[in-house]
Amino acid sequence: MLPKDIMAAHQEKKTSEERKRKSTQNDTRTSQVQWGRAWEVDWFSLANIIFLLMFAPLIVYYFIMSCDQYQCSLIDPLIDLFTGNKHLSDIWNKTPTLTYRAAGIYTLWVAFQVFLYLFIPDFCHKFLPGYVGGVQEGAVTPAGVVNKYEINGLQAWIITHVLWFANAYYFHWFSPTIIFDNWIPLLWCANVLGYAVSTFAMIKSYFFPTNAKDCKFTGNFFYDYMMGIEFNPRIGKWFDFKLFFNGRPGIVAWTLINLSYAAKQQELYGQVTNSMILVNVLQGIYVLDFFWNEAWYLKTIDICHDHFGWYLGWGDCVWLPYLYTLQGLYLVYHPVQLGTANAIGILMLGLISYYIFRMTNHQKDLFRRTNGNCKIWGKKPEYIECSYMSVDGTKYYSKLMTSGFWGWARHFNYTGDLMGSLAYCLTCGFEHILPYFYIVYMTILLTHRCIRDEHRCFSKYGKDWKRYTAAVPYRLIPGIF
């Protein structure tokens, strides 16, 4: 080989290595250039924002009130109002108010979760093989900051539930039905916290932001309040608003809420139905998966791209714990004992959906970590190499996998999520539509997320994205959509 050829080969190798290096920076550069909330607000977005700010709290109240006063019927309250049998004041006056007991319970609950989050360093990663905990780095923010996080959600979940069961079977400090018995008064407490933290986050962004370069101001109060201004608001070094409120207290409480529902069913009927057991098991798997993969969660949209505002602050305090647990609440009022075949079928649907959800995400994570040098389903994965330009004019490269579950549909992880959501709802039978709100909501949410993400990807990759969609033509359901 001539010296000229050697130099050319060396340069080609160097270029290849540079491409790989830049490929690994894909998520970082993308978060700075393509992702995040808007700088300007169109009228359609503003109308949606105002609608949600006005009606989302009313939707939550309506669902919970329907169970409390109308045995979970969503139609009967409307019939009463339109026929004049009742007035809004009648329904409101019958609604339990905020109590000192509920305020005390909620304050202790949040304070305990803050204590576990800030003052108990993770020890689970020291003895649980495969679990990633302790101090971990997040993605680079648009301002170029790499935040560090104390990943100890699994530990907090374990400690909380050990204490819960210790109380239920040994100490008897409080009834296991305490959450259900104070459910509506606790709703007012959750709203107070949700609005307080959202308002504080907005004020903080103006007067003492954690990083001023990571703030986005549109000049529109409603949009900034809902979608957030600060990217990663923090108090001190470790209290990160997004990580805490996304995982604690709402998701830790999710399984406790279901356990309280089961305890109430036992108290009222002398037994816990198999449908209630299924809800606790299937949703418990989902919650445990979240905390087991909390370090992975640092690279998701919620942490990498969303700013912290009412959407996350109020949503995590109120919307998540109250509407994601509707199946268990419904089963307190309408205990359903499933036939053996139906119970097994729902269990299998839930487990299969979890397998799809987890393995799809695992395949993507493995492909990214190894830059495609791995095996998916026993074969080297196929992919489409894409390129894009950053704002400074630098060209970067990325790879979009077309093998495994990602060859079936472009968002097959969402498909698994939707199958699991359906399994939760099917445990409740078909007498009422209330428990099916969850699958309707998740379908709308994830379909919108598909369209939103693909619009951003098309803006980023251009013709390369068209090649990818030609190779993987379906979004969610192979052969259909």
Side-chain angles (χ1 to χ4, degrees):
M1 184 178 290
L2 299 173
K4 184 178 180 181
D5 296 329
I6 294 174
M7 291 179 64
H10 176 72
Q11 182 64 34
E12 183 179 348
K13 180 180 179 182
K14 184 177 179 181
T15 301
S16 176
E17 291 174 349
E18 180 68 14
R19 280 191 176 191
K20 290 181 180 179
R21 182 186 66 81
K22 291 179 178 179
S23 177
T24 62
Q25 297 174 342
N26 174 40
D27 290 338
T28 296
R29 299 291 180 175
T30 299
S31 66
Q32 297 182 42
V33 181
Q34 301 291 337
W35 299 87
R37 42 149 289 187
W39 286 100
E40 297 179 353
V41 186
D42 58 71
W43 285 104
F44 180 74
S45 297
L46 180 59
N48 287 331
I49 294 296
I50 294 175
F51 175 84
L52 288 172
L53 286 170
M54 290 176 60
F55 291 104
L58 295 178
I59 290 171
V60 176
Y61 169 75
Y62 186 81
F63 274 76
I64 304 306
M65 177 277 299
S66 296
C67 283
D68 182 58
Q69 299 184 31
Y70 289 91
Q71 294 291 301
C72 297
S73 171
L74 295 178
I75 305 300
D76 288 350
L78 297 176
I79 293 175
D80 270 357
L81 291 173
F82 285 125
T83 59
N85 289 335
K86 284 189 178 180
H87 298 92
L88 285 174
S89 59
D90 298 325
I91 294 175
W92 179 253
N93 290 335
K94 196 177 177 181
T95 302
T97 59
L98 177 63
T99 64
Y100 286 112
R101 176 175 171 80
I105 293 169
Y106 197 76
T107 301
L108 286 173
W109 165 250
V110 176
F112 182 59
Q113 292 306 312
V114 170
F115 173 77
L116 293 179
Y117 177 64
L118 286 179
F119 301 110
I120 310 295
D122 183 75
F123 55 79
C124 288
H125 69 280
K126 296 180 179 180
F127 63 87
L128 290 177
Y131 173 67
V132 178
V135 177
Q136 301 293 324
E137 290 187 347
V140 180
T141 72
V145 177
V146 178
N147 288 314
K148 291 186 177 182
Y149 300 84
E150 176 66 46
I151 299 300
N152 60 0
L154 180 64
Q155 173 179 282
W157 186 90
I158 292 172
I159 292 173
T160 301
H161 285 71
V162 166
L163 291 175
W164 175 273
F165 283 109
N167 170 77
Y169 291 101
Y170 183 75
F171 295 112
H172 306 295
W173 291 326
F174 54 84
S175 169
T177 65
I178 189 172
I179 299 175
F180 177 87
D181 294 338
N182 295 274
W183 197 221
I184 294 182
L186 288 170
L187 172 62
W188 309 133
C189 299
N191 270 281
V192 169
L193 178 62
Y195 277 96
V197 72
S198 304
T199 304
F200 175 79
M202 187 171 191
I203 294 172
K204 179 179 180 299
S205 65
Y206 279 94
F207 296 103
F208 48 100
T210 303
N211 191 312
K213 293 181 180 180
D214 276 334
C215 293
K216 276 189 177 181
F217 298 90
T218 65
N220 185 289
F221 171 82
F222 297 106
Y223 187 88
D224 287 348
Y225 183 72
M226 178 164 181
M227 301 308 295
I229 295 172
E230 272 203 86
F231 193 69
N232 285 108
R234 288 190 167 201
I235 295 177
K237 183 179 180 180
W238 294 107
F239 189 84
D240 185 89
F241 280 54
K242 280 202 290 189
L243 185 63
F244 178 78
F245 284 100
N246 275 337
R248 276 76 60 80
I251 296 185
V252 173
W254 188 342
T255 40
L256 290 184
I257 293 166
N258 283 338
L259 288 171
S260 186
Y261 291 156
K264 193 65 180 182
Q265 204 181 63
Q266 176 69 38
E267 178 186 284
L268 292 174
Y269 310 108
Q271 66 169 343
V272 178
T273 61
N274 57 5
S275 57
M276 180 68 83
I277 294 172
L278 279 173
V279 167
N280 273 265
V281 169
L282 294 178
Q283 293 187 350
I285 291 172
Y286 186 90
V287 170
L288 273 174
D289 177 86
F290 174 86
F291 287 118
W292 183 271
N293 295 284
E294 191 176 17
W296 168 83
Y297 182 69
L298 298 179
K299 302 301 189 332
T300 61
I301 288 177
D302 289 346
I303 299 295
C304 290
H305 308 303
D306 288 341
H307 291 238
F308 187 87
W310 185 87
Y311 172 75
L312 290 178
W314 180 88
D316 290 327
C317 290
V318 180
W319 187 271
L320 187 155
Y322 276 84
L323 295 189
Y324 286 23
T325 60
L326 282 175
Q327 292 77 36
L329 180 63
Y330 174 85
L331 291 171
V332 173
Y333 293 93
H334 299 276
V336 174
Q337 186 66 29
L338 298 165
T340 302
N342 289 338
I344 292 174
I346 293 171
L347 176 62
M348 293 304 298
L349 175 63
L351 294 178
I352 291 171
S353 69
Y354 172 72
Y355 174 80
I356 292 173
F357 171 78
R358 177 44 44 214
M359 289 305 299
T360 305
N361 285 317
H362 171 72
Q363 288 178 357
K364 179 173 68 174
D365 183 57
L366 178 64
F367 181 80
R368 284 179 172 176
R369 283 190 290 108
T370 62
N371 196 35
N373 296 315
C374 59
K375 288 189 176 181
I376 303 294
W377 291 349
K379 298 187 296 184
K380 187 174 178 61
E382 298 178 356
Y383 59 86
I384 290 176
E385 186 162 0
C386 306
S387 63
Y388 64 95
M389 302 291 289
S390 66
V391 289
D392 61 3
T394 305
K395 192 173 186 178
Y396 293 93
Y397 296 89
S398 183
K399 295 176 180 178
L400 301 176
M401 183 168 58
T402 59
S403 293
F405 285 123
W406 297 95
W408 290 11
R410 300 194 292 272
H411 304 275
F412 207 66
N413 53 334
Y414 293 167
T415 307
D417 213 349
L418 289 174
M419 290 170 61
S421 302
L422 178 61
Y424 306 158
C425 299
L426 289 174
T427 61
C428 299
F430 299 99
E431 289 189 9
H432 288 273
I433 62 174
L434 179 140
Y436 286 85
F437 169 81
Y438 187 68
I439 180 62
V440 173
Y441 164 72
M442 291 299 291
T443 300
I444 295 172
L445 175 72
L446 295 181
T447 301
H448 173 263
R449 185 170 286 188
C450 282
I451 296 170
R452 180 190 67 177
D453 292 354
E454 294 199 358
H455 174 74
R456 288 169 171 169
C457 287
F458 177 72
S459 299
K460 175 183 175 182
Y461 295 120
K463 292 186 297 183
D464 290 335
W465 181 254
K466 288 186 176 181
R467 290 196 297 126
Y468 173 66
T469 57
V472 187
Y474 299 104
R475 285 190 173 110
L476 282 172
I477 306 174
I480 299 176
F481 174 72

